[in-house]
Amino acid sequence: MGSSGSALKVCTDHRGGINWLSLSPDGQHLLTGSEDGTARLWSTADSQCHGHFQGHESYITFCHLENEVAFTCSADHTIRKWDVMTGQCLAIYRGHTSIVNRILVAKDYLFSGSYDRTARCWSVDKEKQIQEFRGHRNCVLTLAHYSPRDVLDESEEEQEKLSRDFLVTGSTDCTVKVWWVSSGRCYQTLLGHTGAVLCLILDAPNRELFSGSTDYTIRTWNIVTGEQLKVFKEHQGSVICLECLQEVVMPALELSIQRQASCRGSSEDTSSSSTVFSFPRWHAKDLGRTRNLQAKQASPEEGAVCPGQELSEGKSVSSFQ
């Protein structure tokens, strides 16, 4: 972006708002998911649309781009896999009974979270549901994944005993849950937030998980024990995005920030082992259209947090459109 702040390129082919962006690993393409129910593939070199993925019956909530395939999820309750070169739909993953909010691709797994209060695990190649994670009392909004070998430094014997993958989910029921992928059982529930959990990020080398919430806080957890380590409280609005930097080195300025914690706007103790940046804005459409959704779905269990409940700054989520 130039000094005037003007846009370098503008891509205008969508016929609705854009809910998510995903950049390919090689940086050559950008995938956009839209209110118009389609996804488009753009060249980052010339800003031209090189692919138009059509098939969803409602708006796209999230998208994920790899070099050869793309994934989208939608309010039509499905997830789709696309061939990046041809635009052909390669697979449709069906099973959720409400809006699919998030997807996460890890190894040969495809994970998804939905307003139906479940998360699910799919075989990427076989178009088959492998596992269902049921236990949240309200919408599943965010996902993370790890293996014990990512966070443990134990003996070969102990690693063999714990050689299972784990899924982490955040929900509008104010909790974070950790699940065994193989069995679908809940390994532990992390309690502390008083609002919907909107984002998660894992700092595997330090065995820490960060969560951001509509309660205006960021919380740090020991991913092995489930212990809450720190609470960052200085935000004046919902925390909707987190990024973790293990080490930032800028040789030109001879500046090195190593294993230092910094939460934007926070006056908490920052002597931690990672850098976290958070941005107090809403995810586009993650919690939108809640009035209609509530009319269609059964009432939440007692104590559950409703998506349309008064949350941030005295406004219902549907006000953030």
Side-chain angles (χ1 to χ4, degrees), residues 190-212:
L190 311 183
L191 301 174
H193 280 296
T194 58
V197 180
L198 301 182
C199 49
L200 297 168
I201 194 163
L202 182 68
D203 177 11
N206 295 294
R207 307 181 186 183
E208 291 180 353
L209 176 75
F210 295 89
S211 56

Side-chain angles (χ1 to χ4, degrees), residues 197-269:
V197 180
L198 301 182
C199 49
L200 297 168
I201 194 163
L202 182 68
D203 177 11
N206 295 294
R207 307 181 186 183
E208 291 180 353
L209 176 75
F210 295 89
S211 56
S213 169
T214 60
D215 65 11
Y216 303 179
T217 71
I218 303 157
R219 295 172 191 259
T220 311
W221 315 83
N222 182 303
I223 196 61
V224 178
T225 67
E227 176 188 2
Q228 182 175 285
L229 303 175
K230 294 183 181 179
V231 182
F232 302 93
K233 298 181 178 180
E234 291 303 311
H235 275 299
Q236 301 302 310
S238 299
V239 182
I240 60 91
C241 185
L242 297 169
E243 289 294 335
C244 184
L245 305 179
Q246 293 301 321
E247 179 175 331
V248 178
V249 181
M250 302 173 66
L253 299 177
E254 296 184 349
L255 172 64
S256 177
I257 307 173
Q258 295 187 356
R259 315 196 70 75
Q260 174 185 12
S262 172
C263 286
R264 181 176 299 182
S266 173
S267 60
E268 296 285 327
D269 176 20

Side-chain angles (χ1 to χ4, degrees), residues 135-136 167-170 173 175-179 186 188-190:
H136 280 296
L167 176 69
V168 188
T169 56
D173 66 9
T175 70
V176 176
K177 287 182 178 287
V178 184
W179 312 81
C186 182
Q188 57 188 3
T189 299
L190 311 183

Side-chain angles (χ1 to χ4, degrees), residues 24-183:
S24 63
D26 60 16
Q28 295 183 15
H29 293 94
L30 178 72
L31 182 68
T32 54
S34 172
E35 285 288 298
D36 63 17
T38 73
R40 288 181 180 267
L41 184 72
W42 311 84
S43 167
T44 55
D46 58 15
S47 72
Q48 296 300 305
C49 181
H50 289 192
H52 189 202
F53 307 144
Q54 303 179 78
H56 280 297
E57 297 177 2
S58 188
Y59 63 92
I60 292 175
T61 56
F62 189 87
C63 58
H64 171 75
L65 179 60
E66 300 185 347
N67 287 332
E68 297 182 355
V69 296
F71 297 86
T72 57
C73 60
S74 168
D76 67 7
H77 309 177
T78 70
I79 306 156
R80 289 178 179 251
K81 177 183 176 182
W82 309 86
D83 186 299
V84 168
M85 296 300 296
T86 66
Q88 177 185 0
C89 180
L90 301 176
I92 303 176
Y93 306 87
R94 305 180 190 273
H96 281 295
T97 58
S98 189
I99 298 170
V100 184
N101 299 301
R102 282 292 178 275
I103 50 177
L104 171 67
V105 180
K107 301 181 179 178
D108 295 325
Y109 298 135
L110 170 65
F111 297 98
S112 57
S114 169
Y115 269 86
D116 65 12
R117 308 180 190 180
T118 72
R120 302 183 188 229
C121 177
W122 315 80
S123 168
V124 171
D125 297 326
K126 296 181 180 180
E127 202 174 335
K128 177 183 177 182
Q129 181 177 308
I130 299 174
Q131 196 57 262
E132 177 178 318
F133 309 92
R134 186 175 293 273
H136 280 296
R137 293 182 296 167
N138 218 310
C139 316
V140 178
L141 296 179
T142 183
L143 307 168
H145 168 269
Y146 71 96
S147 298
R149 63 179 59 90
D150 296 331
V151 299
L152 295 178
D153 184 18
E154 305 291 347
S155 68
E156 292 293 331
E157 180 179 358
E158 289 175 328
Q159 286 200 14
E160 181 66 24
K161 292 179 182 178
L162 295 173
S163 60
R164 301 180 181 182
D165 284 54
F166 290 89
L167 176 69
V168 188
T169 56
S171 169
T172 53
D173 66 9
C174 310
T175 70
V176 176
K177 287 182 178 287
V178 184
W179 312 81
W180 277 295
V181 172
S182 59
S183 67

Side-chain angles (χ1 to χ4, degrees), residues 101 115 139 141 172 196 198 214 282-290 307-308 311 317-318 321:
N101 299 301
Y115 269 86
C139 316
L141 296 179
T172 53
L198 301 182
T214 60
W282 286 92
H283 284 297
K285 305 302 179 187
D286 257 3
L287 302 177
R289 297 181 179 80
T290 54
L311 294 174
V317 177
S318 56
Q321 301 296 316

